[in-house]
Amino acid sequence: VNVSWAYPTTRESGLPINPADIAGMTLEMSVDNTTWSLYNNFAANVTSTVVPELEAGEWFFRGTVQDTDGRDSAPLVASVVVPDETPPGPLANLDVTLV
């Protein structure tokens, strides 16, 4: 799964933010949009990552921007559905009778 992001150009107040004031971004993952696990922290010069080999199902990603003074933005959540590409299970039943 490719995850990419764009850093904000304004603060919550609506005033511009100097790009040099952005420290980076924290990316978390969840399978239920409730319980989150840290995936990684990224420096401000990084704007994408590849998350390899996720199991089939819906995955949620949450990104939070940090400024150089340690303040965190409100989180932004996005999701992706990883399809189940395994073959079908075996037959439920196979009867063989002599005729």
Side-chain angles (χ1 to χ4, degrees):
V1 171
N2 183 57
V3 181
S4 61
W5 55 90
Y7 287 103
T9 57
T10 61
R11 293 191 173 272
E12 261 184 31
S13 65
L15 295 175
I17 186 169
N18 183 334
D21 291 339
I22 295 175
M25 194 270 283
T26 297
L27 183 64
E28 298 171 293
M29 297 172 45
S30 173
V31 295
D32 61 7
N33 200 18
T34 301
T35 305
W36 295 93
S37 297
L38 176 65
Y39 179 71
N40 208 343
N41 292 304
F42 297 94
N45 64 335
V46 178
T47 57
S48 68
T49 190
V50 174
V51 180
E53 301 181 23
L54 293 176
E55 292 181 16
E58 186 170 18
W59 288 86
F60 297 88
F61 294 87
R62 180 169 74 179
T64 307
V65 178
Q66 294 80 38
D67 72 10
T68 54
D69 290 325
R71 293 177 288 236
D72 290 339
S73 71
L76 182 62
V77 176
S79 69
V80 64
V81 175
V82 177
D84 185 349
E85 295 179 346
T86 60
L91 292 169
N93 189 23
L94 181 62
D95 289 325
V96 179
T97 57
L98 184 60
V99 290

